[in-house]
Amino acid sequence: MATIESILRENRVFPPAGEFVRHANIAGIKTYKELCQEAEHDYTGFWAKLAKQYITWHKPFTRILDDTNPPFYKWFDDGELNISWNCLDRHLATQADKTAIIFESDEGKVNHCSYRELHRQVCRFANGLKSLGIRQGDRVVIYMPMRIEAVVAMQACARIGAIHSVVFGGFSAKSVYERIIDAEASAVITADEQTRGGKCHALKATVDKALAMSDTTSVHSVVVFQHTGTDIAWQPERDHWWHDLTARQSDECEPTWINAEHPLFTLYTSGSTGKPKGVQHSSAGYLLGTITSMQWVFDYHADDVFWCTADVGWVTGHSYVTYGPLAIGATQVIFEGIPTYPDAGRFWKIIQKHKVTIFYTAPTAIRSLIKLGPDLPEKYDLSSLRLLGSVGEPINPEAWMWYFTVVGQSRCPVVDTWWQTETGSHIIAPVPGAISTKPGSCTLPLPGIDAAAIDETGQPVKEGKGGFLVIKRPFPSMLRTLWNDPARFKQTYFPADIAGGRYYVAGDSAHRDRDGYFWIMGRIDDVLNVSGHRLGTMEIESALVAHPLVAEAAVVGKPHEIKGEAVVAFVTLREKSPDDQRAAEIAATLREWVAGEIGAIARPEEIRFGENLPKTRSGKIMRRLLRALARGETITQDVSTLENPIILEQLSQTV
């Protein structure tokens, strides 16, 4: 791979405020560097110290890292613990009545659930699962609305040692079926319906359809939470109401003590191309990653109100809803609905109402909120906020600046977090009390993470030049394998043709600046080769979004007989859909804007306008679909996971 060129220039720097530093968990750059040096001096000892500090062990570990069979690493593998006990029971003696979850429903009803009550619900449901014959090692698919009950279901599985596999509630029956079959699930936990944006969406009917796709499945039980009360099909020998299952169960459930390497969950990729990958995470190492990142990146304090807007169907909802916040005894907000219902001020109302102090959301949500009302946050009291977070994909500098100045009122650090389903927790992110931030950069690796940008031979690329983003040492929260597919795991994440298979290869391209900061340039698969120049898509997208007319942009390449590849931009404007003449004028303006911002080499060959971009219901832009549109290919992949499939026709038109 020829070295990727970085063409984005960003010089704004925001040091941490003195008041924030004084109260931070990692206070000042000196403290951060000391932690990094400690990890460098004694890598395994560093992680062992943290594992003893943050995790309560039933049987203490004596082995730290088993690296005898790379890349199938094991951490703390002779220790025993229970994840649910670490998230719930250990808080009962000190803060049983503290609010664990503030739940706000789609229609606005609010429920406060204490640690004592959450423990009670988890124990009753865990006992209910055991009454159905579900035991340690069994797989359970969870297909639930974003409610307290989803967290209860996940924690209950962890309590009895069952391995959960959560499927996002917007996925199709085919997606549910694929995950049931691959995991050989014994049970499915679902609800009659979910409510989002004032609309009801069937869940139980989707599960029924999934289970009907094969004459034989491993599923013997379906547990149904009654949410809306709608009539649903019922199989008495298989289906069980949640309320009936738990009605006569004990409020106590002795946790199943499991090995540190016992799988906590599998989480499948969307499966838009090829067979879904079942990312398998361990118990202790994964939990340690979520706890340390809550302490370091979110700078959690006991009086914080934490809100991660992610659904539990995604890894962000696993790590920063179900496990991380509860493991450190936090109070968090869980929201059932969407940011635009009943109006575009919903997120800001929730922050104002519940005095949220730490707010964590995705760049796609941020850009959508800018489009819907850039001045809207100023109408609400957001003074409770002290920290903002970004997750899911690189955040372009102008969206970062709006987030910082308008939402955070230029006083809240923005932690732009780089991590993946596979890493389990944050890997590269600003430690807010120590590291100066730069709009668009995820900054520096966390202590104990050995990250680099390299070429194929394993050599570091030069400053400002892009390469493969890799992690050079195993770390506790990383995936252990792919469910039932160790060969694919090794080939995908430790490919032999990059540095001889020694490093974890993230699949992203990145470069480092003169301060050592990392800048994510996009997926390796999305890198464009234009007239011999390899360009990261993220930088061109950032330039487009910096124009005041543009709300959102995605860039892909298509074959070009002279240039090799041509840049094709898909753009959502702040104004209403333009007519053909206006669209042509805007397209010409944006081409020259990009050329002026980052160079003529990046000027888009085509610009296509749409009311929005094709996204999954989690808010991720489906760039594979955009590549097919740009190339004029027939779209054959499943689009049932899209929030807005109708937009594909609109985006097929070229300006």
Side-chain angles (χ1 to χ4, degrees):
M1 183 187 76
T3 302
I4 304 164
E5 297 182 37
S6 173
I7 49 181
L8 179 68
R9 295 293 175 262
E10 177 57 62
N11 298 312
R12 290 169 289 191
V13 180
F14 297 88
E19 184 65 18
F20 194 100
V21 173
R22 278 191 287 276
H23 297 95
N25 292 330
I26 297 181
I29 192 67
K30 181 175 180 289
T31 305
Y32 163 79
K33 288 182 176 179
E34 286 172 350
L35 282 171
C36 294
Q37 289 165 1
E38 181 184 345
E40 181 65 27
H41 175 70
D42 182 4
Y43 187 70
T44 57
F46 173 80
W47 287 114
K49 176 183 173 182
L50 293 170
K52 292 172 183 176
Q53 177 181 351
Y54 288 125
I55 294 175
T56 303
W57 296 86
H58 179 69
K59 176 188 173 186
F61 62 89
T62 61
R63 290 193 299 266
I64 306 171
L65 170 63
D66 180 353
D67 58 0
T68 57
N69 184 29
F72 301 95
Y73 301 105
K74 298 178 181 180
W75 287 87
F76 323 121
D77 68 316
D78 62 342
E80 293 181 359
L81 76 165
N82 181 273
I83 302 299
S84 175
W85 197 97
N86 272 271
C87 290
L88 300 173
D89 301 57
R90 66 172 172 175
H91 303 310
L92 296 182
T94 57
Q95 53 176 34
D97 295 321
K98 180 179 180 177
T99 298
I101 296 172
I102 303 169
F103 172 69
E104 181 162 328
S105 70
D106 188 55
E107 69 272 19
K109 294 181 180 177
V110 176
N111 176 35
H112 288 72
C113 181
S114 69
Y115 274 91
R116 188 193 312 278
E117 174 59 21
L118 186 60
H119 175 265
R120 186 187 73 85
Q121 289 190 41
V122 168
C123 285
R124 290 169 73 93
F125 193 66
N127 286 327
L129 292 178
K130 289 200 293 186
S131 75
L132 299 177
I134 297 171
R135 298 290 183 265
Q136 178 179 341
D138 288 350
R139 276 79 66 201
V140 177
V141 166
I142 299 174
Y143 186 62
M144 290 284 288
M146 186 58 185
R147 298 179 58 88
I148 293 175
E149 288 77 14
V151 174
V152 169
M154 296 166 75
Q155 287 280 346
C157 287
R159 194 165 193 87
I160 64 175
I163 304 165
H164 64 66
S165 182
V166 183
V167 182
F168 175 62
F171 275 5
S172 66
K174 180 176 181 290
S175 296
V176 176
Y177 169 76
E178 289 173 341
R179 288 150 177 77
I180 289 172
I181 293 300
D182 193 68
E184 298 179 292
S186 300
V188 178
I189 303 169
T190 188
D192 49 5
E193 292 182 313
Q194 66 175 340
T195 52
R196 284 171 54 85
K199 299 177 182 178
C200 295
H201 304 275
L203 293 182
K204 172 60 161 59
T206 303
V207 171
D208 289 341
K209 186 177 178 181
L211 293 175
M213 288 183 174
S214 174
D215 292 335
T216 58
T217 72
S218 50
V219 172
H220 58 71
S221 300
V222 176
V223 181
V224 186
F225 173 69
Q226 190 173 40
H227 180 21
T228 64
T230 189
D231 290 336
I232 55 176
W234 200 257
Q235 294 189 23
E237 71 284 358
R238 184 197 71 188
D239 299 343
H240 309 268
W241 284 114
W242 179 302
H243 55 270
D244 288 340
L245 185 67
T246 59
R248 290 181 292 276
Q249 300 295 343
S250 169
D251 290 352
E252 297 293 332
C253 176
E254 180 67 19
T256 298
W257 304 108
I258 48 92
N259 182 273
E261 280 294 314
H262 179 74
L264 175 60
F265 64 86
T266 61
L267 188 58
Y268 286 82
T269 60
S270 62
S272 55
T273 59
K275 178 185 174 184
K277 301 194 299 284
V279 172
Q280 178 181 317
H281 275 288
S282 71
S283 293
Y286 167 79
L287 187 67
L288 181 60
T290 68
I291 293 173
T292 54
S293 53
M294 286 294 300
Q295 297 283 1
W296 295 345
V297 180
F298 293 128
D299 190 51
Y300 171 77
H301 290 74
D303 57 351
D304 275 318
V305 177
F306 178 80
W307 183 21
C308 169
T309 67
D311 191 281
V312 293
W314 313 109
V315 72
T316 307
H318 283 56
S319 301
Y320 300 111
V321 175
T322 299
Y323 293 111
L326 296 178
I328 62 171
T331 294
Q332 67 171 316
V333 172
I334 292 180
F335 173 48
E336 182 180 31
I338 60 176
T340 56
Y341 178 81
D343 56 60
R346 187 67 183 271
F347 270 15
W348 319 129
K349 288 177 184 175
I350 291 174
I351 292 171
Q352 175 180 272
K353 182 191 303 183
H354 303 304
K355 305 293 186 214
V356 173
T357 61
I358 303 171
F359 180 58
Y360 192 39
T361 197
T364 49
I366 294 167
R367 290 191 291 264
S368 297
L369 291 164
I370 294 172
K371 180 183 177 183
L372 292 167
D375 301 323
L376 200 54
E378 297 172 358
K379 298 179 181 179
Y380 298 88
D381 181 5
L382 306 183
S383 60
S384 62
L385 289 171
R386 70 177 193 86
L387 184 72
L388 302 174
S390 173
V391 59
E393 62 184 47
I395 182 171
N396 57 285
E398 294 313 310
W400 191 103
M401 286 301 301
W402 178 86
Y403 199 28
F404 175 70
T405 58
V406 178
V407 180
Q409 300 165 359
S410 300
R411 57 179 178 76
C412 300
V414 175
V415 290
D416 177 8
T417 60
W418 181 84
W419 61 298
Q420 303 173 306
T421 300
E422 292 86 348
T423 70
S425 62
H426 302 153
I427 297 299
I428 308 174
V431 174
I435 295 173
S436 297
T437 52
K438 301 181 183 182
S441 172
C442 52
T443 71
L444 298 172
L446 295 183
I449 300 298
D450 189 2
I454 65 167
D455 61 22
E456 291 97 328
T457 68
Q459 295 302 308
V461 293
K462 294 180 181 179
E463 177 191 317
K465 298 293 185 179
F468 296 100
L469 177 57
V470 300
I471 312 298
K472 299 170 74 172
R473 290 182 178 181
F475 51 96
S477 69
M478 67 188 296
L479 81 164
R480 295 304 190 256
T481 188
L482 294 176
W483 184 258
N484 283 336
D485 203 345
R488 189 181 183 188
F489 162 73
K490 191 171 183 177
Q491 178 184 1
T492 301
Y493 302 108
F494 295 85
D497 58 343
I498 300 176
R502 302 191 306 274
Y503 304 147
Y504 170 83
V505 178
D508 280 342
S509 57
H511 75 89
R512 303 186 81 170
D513 64 19
R514 66 182 60 186
D515 298 317
Y517 281 35
F518 281 85
W519 298 78
I520 307 301
M521 303 171 71
R523 299 293 293 172
I524 291 292
D525 293 343
D526 293 336
V527 171
L528 309 181
N529 194 340
V530 182
S531 299
H533 299 268
R534 291 181 61 81
L535 309 178
T537 55
M538 179 267 179
E539 298 189 333
I540 305 174
E541 291 166 2
S542 293
L544 283 164
V545 175
H547 193 281
L549 288 175
V550 177
E552 195 163 27
V555 168
V556 298
K558 77 169 189 178
H560 190 282
E561 61 182 14
I562 297 174
K563 298 179 180 178
E565 277 190 296
V567 177
V568 180
F570 295 84
V571 172
T572 299
L573 298 171
R574 294 177 188 266
E575 63 183 56
K576 292 182 179 179
S577 298
D579 59 28
D580 291 347
Q581 182 178 346
R582 173 66 174 157
E585 292 171 355
I586 295 174
T589 298
L590 293 179
R591 287 191 185 98
E592 294 312 308
W593 171 268
V594 171
E597 286 286 295
I598 55 178
I601 192 67
R603 183 189 284 116
E605 186 90 5
E606 294 179 17
I607 295 181
R608 304 186 185 189
F609 297 105
E611 293 177 8
N612 44 50
L613 299 175
K615 298 176 184 176
T616 66
R617 291 176 176 87
S618 69
K620 284 196 174 183
I621 298 170
M622 296 286 283
R623 285 180 169 79
R624 292 188 185 96
L625 294 179
L626 294 180
R627 281 197 293 271
L629 288 173
R631 296 168 185 176
E633 299 170 352
T634 301
I635 294 175
T636 58
Q637 60 184 286
D638 181 16
V639 297
S640 63
T641 61
L642 283 182
E643 183 77 44
N644 49 350
I646 196 171
I647 200 64
L648 297 178
E649 177 63 30
Q650 193 179 78
L651 292 173
S652 66
Q653 307 302 314
T654 303
V655 176

